[in-house]
């Protein structure tokens, strides 16, 4: 096991090199607090650099998505495309001289009551050796989207076409004229279905859960109202009213109703984002994208649905979300994070645990929440070190 001498010990270890980890490191660097990012992949922000589809844009306006201290250029579009966001992250890392350790998978972290430090054990993906680190403060920055989740559908192994998680999808060019099923009706699923249809695929999408459908402009209005302290219950009422005016009865096309609670309530309470419509609704309404009920099983190229009907597909894209595995390696924390890796304390105190433990980017508030968390964490650590 490789260990590090005291003079090499970082004051803060940040687990995860996504936007949350980068923002926290930047805020600490600005205060001259030594820190180290441990990232399990071979690059920072791998969800954007390696596991996002080509046409993805930030769904929220750029002023709600910028990281601390560096705004987006005024010349950039309101809704930032993937390529520009990655360039923004590259510039951010360079500006703040952020240098993560890559291919470092944390397998154990526990606070030592005797030394008053966190003991962190890490698997080096290059050498397969275990490395041991010690630090005064530990930040969980593994994000809401940690490990892709694919449901265990009976017969999936027998499927003879392409079947993969949405993190492996880039574009629909090679599926022109083919029958493709998208499983999942969140923002990724809806936009991937749109991309497939635009590329000439015969596209179907499985919709099971109630959802709120809003436009980007509605989302912008909602966030502006929240920014000016309008109660989210009032904002939700406005969002639902506008959605009904624009989209009508969505159950006619999606087969599901709107949730009883409003879009911001669903986001805050359950982490369920509203669907930002970027053209999918029109294609579903016209019949270019077919909506199907839940999947029951798979037999070869046949997909058996819960209503008993059978459809044949050449490809299946599972836009079925992610799981977090923090509980597998974080030991002794019974205060900050639950079994699902999300904060137990209510917003806005969700980011601060005990014994120097923090979390960033887990408040279900996207990049806007990341900036809030990162600045709070750095300020709090600095106050403790200044005593």
């Amino acid at each position: 096991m490789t260990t590090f001498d005291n003079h090499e010990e970082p004051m803060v270890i940040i687990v995860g090199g996504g936007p949350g980890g980068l923002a926290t490191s930047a805020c600490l660097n600005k205060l001259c607090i030594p820190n180290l990012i441990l990232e399990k992949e071979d690059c920072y922000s791998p969800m954007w650099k390696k596991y996002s589809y080509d046409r993805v844009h930030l769904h929220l306006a750029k002023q709600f998505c910028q990281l601390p201290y560096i705004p987006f250029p005024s010349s950039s579009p309101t809704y930032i495309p993937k390529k520009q966001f990655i360039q923004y992250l590259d510039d951010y890392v360079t500006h703040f001289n952020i240098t993560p350790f890559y291919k470092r998978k944390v397998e154990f972290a526990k606070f030592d009551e005797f030394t008053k430090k966190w003991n962190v054990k890490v698997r080096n993906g290059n050498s397969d050796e275990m490395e041991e680190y010690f630090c005064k403060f530990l930040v969980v920055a593994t994000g809401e989207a940690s490990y892709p989740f694919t449901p265990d559908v009976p017969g999936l192994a027998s499927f003879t076409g392409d079947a993969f998680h949405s993190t492996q999808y880039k574009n629909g060019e090679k599926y022109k004229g083919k029958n493709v099923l998208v499983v999942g009706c969140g923002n990724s699923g809806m936009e991937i279905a749109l991309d497939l249809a635009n590329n000439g695929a015969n596209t179907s999408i499985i919709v099971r859960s109630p959802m709120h459908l809003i436009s980007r402009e509605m989302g912008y209005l909602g966030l502006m109202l929240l920014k000016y302290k309008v109660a989210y219950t009032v904002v939700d009422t406005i969002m639902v009213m506008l959605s009904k005016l624009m989209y009508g009865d969505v159950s006619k096309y999606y087969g599901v109703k709107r949730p009883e609670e409003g879009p911001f309530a669903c986001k805050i309470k359950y982490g369920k984002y509203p669907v930002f419509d970027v053209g999918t609704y029109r294609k579903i309404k016209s019949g270019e994208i077919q909506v199907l009920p839940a999947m029951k099983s798979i037999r070869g190229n046949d997909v058996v649905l819960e209503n008993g009907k059978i459809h044949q597909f050449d490809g299946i894209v599972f836009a079925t979300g992610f799981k977090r595995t923090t509980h597998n390696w974080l030991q002794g924390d019974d205060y900050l994070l639950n079994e699902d890796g999300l904060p137990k304390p209510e917003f806005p105190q969700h980011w601060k645990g005990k014994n120097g433990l923090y979390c960033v980017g887990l408040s279900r508030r996207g990049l806007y929440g990341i900036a809030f968390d990162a600045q709070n964490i750095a300020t709090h650590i600095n106050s403790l070190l200044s005593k």
Side-chain angles (χ1 to χ4, degrees):
M1 177 168 309
T2 303
T3 58
F4 292 80
D5 297 331
N6 284 335
H7 70 278
E8 293 179 310
E9 286 181 12
M11 184 66 67
V12 185
I13 284 181
I14 302 165
V15 183
L22 300 181
T24 306
S25 182
C27 292
L28 292 168
N29 286 351
K30 199 166 177 66
L31 295 170
C32 299
I33 299 172
N35 64 89
L36 173 64
I37 294 177
L38 300 173
E39 167 54 52
K40 68 180 187 297
E41 296 279 352
D42 59 1
C43 64
Y44 54 82
S45 200
M47 285 303 299
W48 279 94
K49 292 200 164 196
K50 297 171 65 174
Y51 302 122
S52 59
Y53 45 95
D54 294 344
R55 62 159 288 145
V56 69
H57 287 60
L58 296 177
H59 288 297
L60 301 180
K62 61 185 178 182
Q63 61 263 49
F64 297 108
C65 298
Q66 56 202 25
L67 300 183
Y69 307 116
I70 306 289
F72 288 104
S74 57
S75 59
S76 60
T78 302
Y79 300 97
I80 306 294
K82 171 182 175 176
K83 186 176 180 180
Q84 280 189 246
F85 186 62
I86 290 174
Q87 183 61 57
Y88 171 79
L89 293 177
D90 289 344
D91 294 341
Y92 195 84
V93 166
T94 300
H95 180 84
F96 288 105
N97 191 30
I98 301 170
T99 55
F101 278 19
Y102 296 116
K103 302 191 78 172
R104 298 309 205 280
K105 182 182 178 183
V106 175
E107 296 190 355
F108 175 89
K110 188 174 183 179
F111 184 74
D112 188 314
E113 293 287 352
F114 180 72
T115 63
K116 301 299 180 184
K117 290 183 178 180
W118 285 90
N119 176 214
V120 183
K121 296 178 182 178
V122 181
R123 179 75 62 184
N124 185 324
N126 295 308
S127 64
D128 202 41
E129 288 186 356
M130 287 295 290
E131 298 174 345
E132 190 169 29
Y133 300 79
F134 299 91
C135 60
K136 189 172 179 62
F137 305 101
L138 181 68
V139 181
V140 177
T142 44
E144 291 182 46
S146 300
Y147 287 86
F149 169 72
T150 301
D152 187 16
V153 182
L156 177 57
S158 72
F159 187 69
T160 54
D162 296 333
F164 52 90
H165 192 268
S166 58
T167 50
Q168 302 301 314
Y169 180 88
K170 294 304 176 188
N171 59 67
E173 290 178 2
K174 69 177 183 178
Y175 294 105
K176 182 177 181 179
K178 295 186 177 181
N179 299 328
V180 185
L181 174 65
V182 179
V183 183
C185 59
N187 281 296
S188 293
M190 287 294 190
E191 193 161 3
I192 287 171
L194 175 64
D195 188 63
L196 284 163
N198 285 343
N199 278 282
N202 303 313
T203 308
S204 300
I205 184 169
I206 285 180
V207 177
R208 298 187 306 164
S209 306
M211 72 168 110
H212 284 289
L213 190 67
I214 65 174
S215 67
R216 284 172 170 169
E217 292 72 24
M218 289 180 205
Y220 176 82
L221 172 62
L223 287 172
M224 288 301 293
L225 291 172
L226 290 172
K227 182 179 178 180
Y228 289 103
K229 308 301 182 184
V230 177
Y232 78 83
T233 51
V234 175
V235 177
D236 273 346
T237 300
I238 295 170
M239 293 297 101
V240 171
M241 179 188 69
L242 291 174
S243 179
K244 287 179 178 178
L245 285 171
M246 177 171 282
Y247 301 110
D249 181 7
V250 296
S251 66
K252 288 196 299 184
Y253 304 105
Y254 287 100
V256 297
K257 296 181 179 180
R258 291 180 177 89
E260 291 186 7
E261 294 179 282
F264 286 99
C266 288
K267 180 70 181 71
I268 292 167
K269 292 182 180 180
Y270 315 115
K272 186 174 176 60
Y273 287 83
V275 172
F276 290 87
D277 178 51
V278 291
T280 312
Y281 175 77
R282 181 175 57 81
K283 286 194 177 290
I284 288 175
K285 192 174 178 181
S286 69
E288 291 177 73
I289 296 175
Q290 182 182 19
V291 174
L292 298 177
M295 179 190 303
K296 185 177 180 181
S297 63
I298 297 172
R299 297 195 300 260
N301 278 59
D302 292 338
V303 173
V304 183
L305 304 176
E306 282 192 345
N307 61 7
K309 293 185 178 180
I310 298 174
H311 295 257
Q312 284 196 337
F313 293 101
D314 303 299
I316 303 175
V317 183
F318 287 96
T320 43
F322 300 84
K323 294 290 186 183
R324 288 157 292 277
T325 59
T326 319
H327 65 282
N328 290 337
W329 56 265
L330 182 60
Q331 307 296 314
D333 168 44
D334 58 358
Y335 174 79
L336 185 59
L337 301 178
N338 62 24
E339 282 259 322
D340 194 28
L342 294 172
K344 292 180 183 179
E346 295 277 329
F347 180 91
Q349 298 301 321
H350 62 281
W351 53 272
K352 182 173 61 174
K354 297 177 180 179
N355 298 321
L357 178 66
Y358 303 89
C359 68
V360 59
L362 296 174
S363 67
R364 295 166 168 169
R365 284 167 169 78
L367 290 161
Y368 183 77
I370 281 174
F372 175 89
D373 294 346
Q375 289 172 299
N376 276 327
I377 291 168
T379 301
H380 190 256
I381 290 175
N382 191 51
S383 70
L384 295 176
L385 294 175
S386 301
K387 287 182 178 178

